[in-house]
Amino acid sequence: MGSDFNGTSASDSFVKTPTIKFTQLFINGEFLDSVSGKTFETIDPRTGDVITRVAEGDKEDVDLAVKAARAAFDHGPWPRLPGAERGRIMMKFADLIDKHVEELAILDTVDAGKLFSMGKTIDIPQVAEMVRYYAGAADKIHGEVLKMSRELHGYTLLEPIGVVGLIVPWNFPSTLLFGKVSPALAAGCTMVIKPAEQTPLSALYYAHLAKLAGVPDGVLNVITGFGKTAGAAISYHMDIDKVSFTGSTEVGREVMQAAAKSNLKPVSLELGGKSPLVIFDDADINTATDLALLGILFNKGEICVASSRVYVQEGIYDEFVKKLQEKAKDWVVGDPFDPNVRQGPQVDKKQFEKILSYIEHGKKEGATLLTGGKPVGNKGYYIEPTIFTDVKDDMLIAQDEIFGPVMALMKFKTIEEAIQRANNTKYGLAAGIITKDLNVANTVSRSIRAGIIWINCYFAFDRDCPYGGYKMSGFGRDFGMQGLHEYLHTKSVVTPLFNSPWL
């Protein structure tokens, strides 16, 4: 396997681990220890070593954060500021993120194993742009005048939904955090954020920058801790008005149950995926293989829209497999601070072992291992890019979300077969289509039950493009103006009209 794993440890890495500045909870504008005084370790996946210990928030800490957020919403200035003033503070927040881009990128690399080069040039700069995008929308939130059917004057108001709980995953700790924080701030909401326990460090740094930018105390609170405790406390809380959750389908179901059992708060859920990439005979082989590898190996496969099921039409299948195998062998796995590396370590030992167990399942079920399948090196959580052929649709590796660099490669004959098999999943988050035939692209894109379809591209995200799922991939949307409306209530106001010359 051409992994080129360099075997570097944290001490001789390309970038030294920074001094960690913030490890406490952030409540009402202050960094505080947890009520219990407990802390937990956050681990560097490059080595398995402890980076630092972080405050472990629990129900009592969530209660304090919600109390602060409720006071800030009910009595504070944030929801009452003109939208333009909220936007001005958000613009300053974005500028501060740009100013600290390198340190933020380092935190996400040491905490999540993400490529430093991508974080510094793409992830963190796009976070700042996301904040600016919604800052520009903050003074454009308005309802509409209604054309009533009788002697009434009616209009709608769009009002902030209130205190929101934002539960964020570990695979994109900055990008997905700000897909929620930015529209919530623009709408005038206050919030309690729970970052994933695997990746708490950057969220605490962003809280510090929010305070420097002038976001009022109590508007943005961060509780680091575990899902079973802090996450559950947010989901069940009677004084939280909405929860937005990104993560697994299993936990999403628990969040929804908690919301129903407490105060019937609305929830937005962006959950798992098993996304198909459908490649037709007329596709350019080089482009198709590049997109197929990117679709499953980007961010070491730890991405909910990963194209983990690749369907290739029989006319080009053999040539595609040969080219794919060649390119996979040149994919460089190693220290994520190395600019030549394309794939860093999985986020933690649990995820590492889960992926390897699925690879063993694939072998036992009769799939053929084309490339990879093994750990890389003797330290850290690195796995070779892994491709299976001879995969059947009912195999675990074709049905379950593995969340790692594991591709299930399959052959199809007709467009009808491709559509049927692409839809043969409980998920519906994303799909890709590679073809030069516009009619085929139109037919397939309208037939696949998924929230976003990419034609002749993959991972083509944009802050203006709504993103979310069908089926068991969840509901609600992040990004775009739909993402803003997730944090707004519609209120109708009606008054009688007397002796009006027209309705």
Side-chain angles (χ1 to χ4, degrees):
M1 187 70 205
S3 299
D4 287 2
F5 178 72
N6 54 49
T8 56
S9 68
S11 61
D12 59 5
S13 175
F14 288 82
V15 175
K16 298 283 189 292
T17 301
T19 301
I20 306 301
K21 296 177 180 177
F22 307 107
T23 60
Q24 296 170 293
L25 311 178
F26 188 76
I27 300 173
N28 205 26
E30 293 184 81
F31 283 101
L32 305 168
D33 290 333
S34 62
V35 171
S36 69
K38 290 193 294 185
T39 61
F40 66 97
E41 296 175 345
T42 187
I43 304 296
D44 185 341
R46 297 174 299 160
T47 60
D49 297 336
V50 177
I51 304 167
T52 190
R53 296 191 70 89
V54 178
E56 182 181 335
D58 207 332
K59 183 180 183 302
E60 293 157 300
D61 304 289
V62 170
D63 286 343
L64 291 173
V66 172
K67 183 179 179 181
R70 175 55 62 193
F73 185 78
D74 288 348
H75 307 295
W78 190 250
R80 293 160 187 83
L81 287 175
E85 180 64 12
R86 284 201 302 274
R88 186 191 67 77
I89 295 170
M90 291 176 67
M91 288 291 189
K92 187 175 180 183
F93 190 10
D95 290 343
L96 287 168
I97 292 169
D98 277 337
K99 187 177 177 181
H100 295 85
V101 63
E102 182 152 332
E103 194 160 4
L104 289 162
I106 289 171
L107 291 176
D108 280 352
T109 298
V110 299
D111 229 5
K114 297 177 68 66
L115 297 183
F116 174 68
S117 59
M118 292 284 290
K120 185 178 177 181
T121 61
I122 297 176
D123 284 9
I124 311 303
Q126 285 187 352
V127 161
E129 289 305 313
M130 180 81 74
V131 176
R132 292 188 181 101
Y133 173 84
Y134 284 107
D139 62 353
K140 300 168 185 68
I141 297 169
H142 55 79
E144 59 182 350
V145 176
L146 306 173
K147 184 65 175 175
M148 308 290 271
S149 63
R150 53 200 181 95
E151 291 161 334
L152 298 169
H153 173 60
Y155 61 94
T156 59
L157 297 172
L158 298 181
E159 298 182 342
I161 205 165
V163 177
V164 295
L166 309 178
I167 304 176
V168 185
W170 44 258
N171 58 326
F172 284 86
S174 291
T175 305
L176 294 178
L177 172 63
F178 278 88
K180 302 178 189 301
V181 167
S182 303
L185 286 174
C189 294
T190 62
M191 62 206 71
V192 178
I193 298 162
K194 197 204 85 68
E197 54 265 31
Q198 297 88 343
T199 55
L201 298 177
S202 59
L204 294 170
Y205 203 108
Y206 287 120
H208 164 67
L209 297 182
K211 185 171 177 70
L212 291 182
V215 174
D217 292 350
V219 171
L220 189 152
N221 306 274
V222 179
I223 302 295
T224 51
F226 295 91
K228 293 287 187 184
T229 50
I234 289 171
S235 302
Y236 275 103
H237 208 287
M238 293 295 293
D239 215 14
I240 287 181
D241 299 305
K242 174 176 180 147
V243 171
S244 180
F245 169 81
T246 298
S248 70
T249 297
E250 292 72 24
V251 177
R253 182 180 283 111
E254 293 179 18
V255 169
M256 195 170 177
Q257 287 173 339
K261 289 178 179 178
S262 53
N263 58 346
L264 281 173
K265 63 179 71 65
V267 297
S268 295
L269 302 175
E270 193 271 278
L271 307 175
K274 194 68 179 175
S275 301
L277 176 63
V278 184
I279 302 169
F280 288 89
D281 279 343
D282 62 347
D284 177 81
I285 294 291
N286 271 321
T287 300
T289 48
D290 284 345
L291 287 174
L293 280 179
L294 176 72
I296 190 59
L297 300 182
F298 176 67
N299 204 52
K300 55 256 177 37
E302 292 174 347
I303 180 166
C304 43
V305 293
S307 59
S308 50
R309 295 183 296 142
V310 177
Y311 294 96
V312 182
Q313 201 161 16
E314 60 184 1
I316 60 168
Y317 179 83
D318 291 341
E319 184 184 358
F320 179 91
V321 170
K322 182 180 177 183
K323 180 69 72 173
L324 189 72
Q325 187 173 20
E326 291 171 4
K327 290 184 175 182
K329 288 179 179 178
D330 293 331
W331 195 270
V332 184
V333 179
D335 191 308
F337 283 111
D338 182 344
N340 296 313
V341 162
R342 301 190 70 182
Q343 181 183 321
Q346 311 307 137
V347 72
D348 63 8
K349 185 179 181 181
K350 180 180 177 182
Q351 186 63 19
F352 172 77
E353 291 175 346
K354 173 188 168 186
I355 295 164
L356 291 175
S357 73
Y358 270 109
I359 291 170
E360 289 307 308
H361 269 298
K363 290 192 243 180
K364 289 175 184 174
E365 288 185 309
T368 301
L369 196 58
L370 182 70
T371 64
K374 300 188 297 296
V376 177
N378 54 15
K379 183 182 281 191
Y381 308 126
Y382 300 87
I383 295 178
E384 293 176 333
T386 299
I387 302 170
F388 280 103
T389 58
D390 302 314
V391 178
K392 294 183 172 63
D393 288 322
D394 60 354
M395 290 181 178
L396 274 181
I397 58 170
Q399 287 292 321
D400 286 7
E401 182 181 44
I402 299 172
F403 225 64
V406 182
M407 178 193 296
L409 182 58
M410 293 165 276
K411 186 192 301 185
F412 73 94
K413 291 184 178 182
T414 66
I415 185 172
E416 293 79 13
E417 179 193 349
I419 291 167
Q420 185 273 323
R421 295 175 70 186
N423 282 327
N424 182 24
T425 172
K426 63 185 177 182
Y427 298 112
L429 197 53
I433 303 162
I434 305 179
T435 180
K436 295 173 184 172
D437 189 324
L438 183 59
N439 291 327
V440 169
N442 284 334
T443 297
V444 179
S445 63
R446 284 159 172 77
S447 300
I448 293 178
R449 300 281 295 164
I452 189 165
I453 310 289
W454 291 301
I455 300 172
N456 296 326
C457 58
Y458 211 81
F459 298 133
F461 288 108
D462 189 87
R463 53 190 166 271
D464 197 48
C465 183
Y467 163 65
Y470 284 25
K471 300 191 283 187
M472 289 181 71
S473 290
F475 48 82
R477 292 294 181 266
D478 289 331
F479 307 161
M481 288 299 100
Q482 279 188 262
L484 177 63
H485 283 259
E486 294 288 339
Y487 299 95
L488 295 166
H489 270 316
T490 300
K491 177 185 284 182
S492 297
V493 181
V494 180
T495 185
L497 286 175
F498 299 103
N499 303 317
S500 175
W502 55 75
L503 293 180

